[in-house]
Amino acid sequence: RRRGILEYRQGRYAEALPLFRAARARAAERDDAVTLGQSDNDIGNALRRIGSYREALESYLSSLDFKRRAGDKQLGALLTNLGDLYRDLGDIAASRSRYAEALKDYEAAGRKLDYAHTLDALGTLMLDAKDFDAAASYLDSARTAFAALGARPDELRICARLARLALDRDDVPAATVALDRGMALATEMNLPPSADLS
């Protein structure tokens, strides 16, 4: 598994896949539900990166089953992976549902940064789906959460999304506020404006 993670982190997803599968085979020999759950999640991540979405979905769902059987209470990352995958598949309702489950898990575990990132994912999902009211609610909450955590680069990214949302709504004053806030953050961090902000 460690060799697979090394390949995965270097962007060699196809090379990571057989290593993850070998780790899974070892876990299956031991009937280790915890490790099987982790292995299926790893396999799902690699499959998603190479575009094998249906196979990735099978792996993620298998991982969820093993993790629940093993009594794993920290399912937020896997639920977020499922939300991302359903978004890739164009299933907005399933994606939103999995992200909402992840939010509950992160909140219960006190994982504030992961919670904020999931709000961001939900807001972006709703923005792409043209559900502007829901997008505004999630993105505003994400910006507030990132600001409270001092996560300035994340807050900057949300400013660009809020500007896009305002422009999609033909609300130029709100777009100007979001862009000004983003430019102020970029200046504060001594960074050039991001491509999204530009």
Side-chain angles (χ1 to χ4, degrees):
R1 178 171 184 259
R2 287 178 182 161
R3 288 175 56 206
I5 289 170
L6 181 62
E7 295 289 346
Y8 184 88
R9 287 182 178 162
Q10 294 180 13
R12 295 194 293 263
Y13 309 119
E15 290 81 359
L17 192 53
L19 296 167
F20 288 149
R21 286 183 168 148
R24 189 194 192 285
R26 292 270 174 99
E29 288 170 9
R30 297 179 180 147
D31 196 26
D32 181 347
V34 172
T35 308
L36 283 165
Q38 183 59 62
S39 292
D40 281 341
N41 185 60
D42 293 337
I43 291 167
N45 287 338
L47 288 167
R48 179 173 171 249
R49 292 294 187 177
I50 62 175
S52 296
Y53 295 147
R54 292 294 169 188
E55 284 183 272
L57 180 58
E58 289 174 19
S59 290
Y60 284 149
L61 292 175
S62 176
S63 176
L64 187 60
D65 183 52
F66 279 120
K67 284 175 176 280
R68 284 184 170 153
R69 274 196 270 159
D72 192 338
K73 302 297 184 191
Q74 303 276 323
L75 300 176
L78 175 56
L79 293 166
T80 300
N81 288 342
L82 276 163
D84 292 343
L85 181 62
Y86 280 122
R87 185 186 62 211
D88 293 341
L89 290 167
D91 189 335
I92 303 299
S95 179
R96 188 176 188 179
S97 175
R98 291 303 187 174
Y99 285 143
E101 287 180 74
L103 281 179
K104 289 178 187 173
D105 186 85
Y106 290 140
E107 186 173 34
R111 295 176 61 177
K112 294 179 180 180
L113 186 59
D114 291 322
Y115 185 89
H117 279 292
T118 305
L119 287 171
D120 176 9
L122 268 163
T124 304
L125 176 74
M126 294 296 95
L127 181 56
D128 291 342
K130 308 291 186 204
D131 185 340
F132 297 140
D133 290 340
S137 176
Y138 289 127
L139 290 173
D140 282 334
S141 295
R143 191 193 65 73
T144 300
F146 285 133
L149 292 166
R152 296 288 184 252
D154 292 314
E155 188 182 355
L156 177 59
R157 187 181 63 254
I158 298 297
C159 288
R161 288 208 174 93
L162 286 167
R164 176 183 154 203
L165 169 63
L167 290 171
D168 284 352
R169 290 175 130 175
D170 293 324
D171 187 346
V172 175
T176 301
V177 168
L179 291 169
D180 287 347
R181 184 181 290 133
M183 290 301 293
L185 280 168
T187 300
E188 176 187 319
M189 292 185 293
N190 199 27
L191 292 174
S194 66
D196 285 343
L197 199 63
S198 294

